[in-house]
Amino acid sequence: MRDIFVEIWSTVRRNKLRTALTGFAVAWGIFMLIFLLGAGNGLINAMMLQSDRFLDNSMMVGGSYTSKPYDGLKEGRRIELNDKDMAVTGNSFPANVQETGASFDQNDLTFSHGDNYVSSSLSGVYPNEIEINKKEMLYGRFINDIDIEQKRKVIVLNEDDAKELLPQGTERIVGQYVDVDSLAFRVVGVYKADRSGMNSSAYTAFTTFRAIYNKGDKVETILFSFKGLDTQEANDAFEAQYRARINGNHRAAPDDERSVWIWNRFTQNLQMNTGMNIIRTALWVVGLFTLLSGIVGVSNIMLITVKERTREFGIRKAIGAKPRSILRLIIVESVVITTFFGYIGMVLGVAANEYMDSTIGRMKVDSGLFEATMFYNPTVGIDVCVAATVVMIVAGTLAGLIPARKAARIRPIEALMAE
């Protein structure tokens, strides 16, 4: 076996250009496959990171304007949700709707604590807000049922606002009072701010908010989690039925899809998953074609190799070399070259992905109002890298097998007469 490797090395040194072209075709095919998959995973992981900020099986519902005349009323009427809509949501769909809540927002408020102040917004919410919009508590607690029942003047601050109001020892703000314009609220918790634009408000009990701002029985948005809706068709049917019930409360056409808006996180994720699958498929197709080009390159160069060495093989057979020795020589040469350069391509592909990860893999777009991750963890599993390399090695072996068999069968006299 040592003699074979020595001979292969000698052949490589005599044919540097041919070997370099073969190696480049192999390494480039594997490198591009790993690099493309890594870049695609970076985009997909960023999309998943954004979607993970919400509970998948949840919906938000808000009032809008009617688009159809109905029951003697013209189109363009403003629909405002109320407690009756909340009751319909919680009681009329027991098979699907789980926990129901609501929210109301008030913007451009001044929060102050001692000499420190910050401008922010206040939202009145139910306890299910922390689960549906996935908030992580750092200190204290979130709004609870007792706060709702007793209309307590309590508040949960986001981390950034808490640091502005009490820069040193933010956790000590829990239990202290914060003025919201002219009203004092007792701080019961601080949650982690993710700067997504969705988790930046301060929170108080929904009932407290409505009493302070004189909202009567009005509801700005209804939030609820659901179960048993596992397909696009099931969600579409539920939304149509639900919208008809809400429209009925406001004398709007049952099929008027603009009277209320529904943000269904589950169907949004289905659409996102479809888009991500398309991206994955496209990347795999491009990557595999790149890999195929490397295989074709190896095949062509192995054919040229055999053609150039036909006279050599004829001399070998004339002095007693057996066909299987010639076959083994070509196969081993193909395997060695493909393995070596395939490994180089794999290492370079992994290195390129690691470089992307360390540079743009944590890149965020900051508009000043919100921050979003656009590219996250652009890496590929080691199993994919190894599999791509193994495929190239096997393909290189097969590419060398066909001309090797032809060379092993050629008669010495024919080989010696070859040009």
Side-chain angles (χ1 to χ4, degrees):
M1 183 61 70
R2 183 176 178 276
D3 292 339
I4 292 179
F5 283 108
V6 171
E7 189 168 352
I8 290 173
W9 174 244
S10 176
T11 303
V12 167
R13 293 181 62 185
R14 289 197 310 268
N15 301 277
K16 295 184 179 65
L17 179 59
R18 187 187 69 202
T19 304
L21 291 174
T22 305
F24 178 78
V26 172
W28 180 254
I30 294 177
F31 171 80
M32 285 305 297
L33 176 64
I34 296 174
F35 178 78
L36 286 172
L37 292 179
N41 285 339
L43 295 174
I44 291 170
N45 291 337
M47 294 169 64
M48 293 179 66
L49 190 65
Q50 301 299 325
S51 65
D52 284 344
R53 289 174 172 160
F54 312 110
L55 185 66
D56 288 348
N57 58 317
S58 65
M59 294 189 194
M60 289 183 64
V61 184
S64 185
Y65 294 88
T66 60
S67 61
K68 298 179 179 181
Y70 182 76
D71 197 20
L73 301 174
K74 294 182 178 180
E75 71 274 13
R77 287 186 301 114
R78 171 68 176 166
I79 300 297
E80 292 185 289
L81 303 182
N82 53 38
D83 287 341
K84 185 178 180 181
D85 298 314
M86 277 197 68
V88 166
T89 303
N91 300 328
S92 299
F93 304 91
N96 301 117
V97 175
Q98 293 178 304
E99 191 172 358
T100 306
S103 68
F104 238 124
D105 296 324
Q106 187 73 22
N107 300 317
D108 300 323
L109 300 175
T110 300
F111 292 58
S112 61
H113 178 72
D115 295 330
N116 300 316
Y117 64 91
V118 64
S119 179
S120 188
S121 57
L122 181 66
S123 297
V125 297
Y126 275 74
N128 68 338
E129 171 75 19
I130 191 172
E131 296 179 359
I132 288 180
N133 287 322
K134 291 188 177 181
K135 293 170 177 57
E136 179 184 345
M137 297 301 300
L138 298 177
Y139 314 109
R141 64 172 178 83
F142 197 68
I143 304 300
N144 60 29
D145 291 330
I146 298 177
D147 297 330
I148 297 292
E149 293 172 6
Q150 298 182 4
K151 300 182 181 179
R152 289 176 172 176
K153 289 175 64 179
V154 296
I155 194 170
V156 178
L157 299 173
N158 74 63
E159 181 184 10
D160 292 339
D161 289 348
K163 287 179 179 179
E164 291 290 335
L165 296 175
L166 191 62
Q168 299 177 346
T170 304
E171 68 278 2
R172 292 188 292 106
I173 200 170
V174 176
Q176 299 188 37
Y177 284 85
V178 169
D179 290 333
V180 180
D181 283 353
S182 59
L183 300 173
F185 287 78
R186 184 170 180 268
V187 180
V188 294
V190 177
Y191 72 93
K192 184 176 181 180
D194 62 15
R195 303 214 56 205
S196 65
M198 295 293 295
N199 292 332
S200 58
S201 296
Y203 295 96
T204 189
F206 181 80
T207 51
T208 305
F209 184 99
R210 284 207 308 192
I212 290 174
Y213 293 101
N214 194 28
K215 298 297 183 179
D217 67 342
K218 297 294 186 267
V219 174
E220 189 170 52
T221 57
I222 298 174
L223 301 87
F224 61 91
S225 54
F226 60 85
K227 60 182 179 180
L229 303 176
D230 301 322
T231 64
Q232 180 76 44
E233 292 73 18
N235 278 271
D236 291 343
F238 173 83
E239 288 183 28
Q241 185 180 5
Y242 178 76
R243 182 180 284 105
R245 293 297 301 273
I246 298 297
N247 285 352
N249 289 343
H250 300 275
R251 295 176 64 189
D255 59 345
D256 189 346
E257 296 184 356
R258 296 187 181 181
S259 57
V260 296
W261 56 264
I262 299 176
W263 181 11
N264 188 332
R265 272 77 177 265
F266 182 83
T267 55
Q268 174 183 280
N269 281 343
L270 287 179
Q271 295 166 0
M272 185 178 296
N273 289 336
T274 300
M276 289 189 294
N277 288 334
I278 292 173
I279 293 175
R280 285 194 185 98
T281 302
L283 289 172
W284 270 105
V285 169
V286 174
L288 290 176
F289 271 105
T290 306
L291 200 64
L292 181 62
S293 68
I295 295 172
V296 171
V298 172
S299 302
N300 290 336
I301 293 173
M302 290 308 298
L303 287 170
I304 294 172
T305 299
V306 172
K307 183 176 180 61
E308 289 179 349
R309 299 176 67 183
T310 300
R311 292 177 64 85
E312 175 192 335
F313 296 149
I315 294 172
R316 286 174 179 269
K317 293 189 72 174
I319 62 177
K322 295 182 178 180
R324 69 170 177 269
S325 66
I326 297 175
L327 184 65
R328 182 174 62 177
L329 175 62
I330 299 175
I331 293 291
V332 172
E333 180 179 341
S334 176
V335 170
V336 168
I337 292 175
T338 307
T339 302
F340 178 75
F341 286 102
Y343 179 76
I344 291 177
M346 182 183 75
V347 171
L348 291 176
V350 172
N353 285 342
E354 290 298 327
Y355 178 75
M356 280 195 299
D357 190 25
S358 63
T359 53
I360 62 175
R362 297 293 186 274
M363 183 180 291
K364 295 182 179 180
V365 175
D366 192 345
S367 69
L369 298 176
F370 69 91
E371 189 176 82
T373 301
M374 305 303 294
F375 205 71
Y376 180 74
N377 191 24
T379 56
V380 178
I382 191 65
D383 55 334
V384 175
C385 299
V386 172
T389 306
V390 170
V391 167
M392 184 61 83
I393 292 171
V394 172
T397 303
L398 295 176
L401 180 62
I402 297 172
R405 288 172 61 87
K406 181 179 179 181
R409 292 176 179 175
I410 192 170
R411 292 166 55 190
I413 187 64
E414 294 176 358
L416 292 172
M417 293 175 62
E419 295 182 0

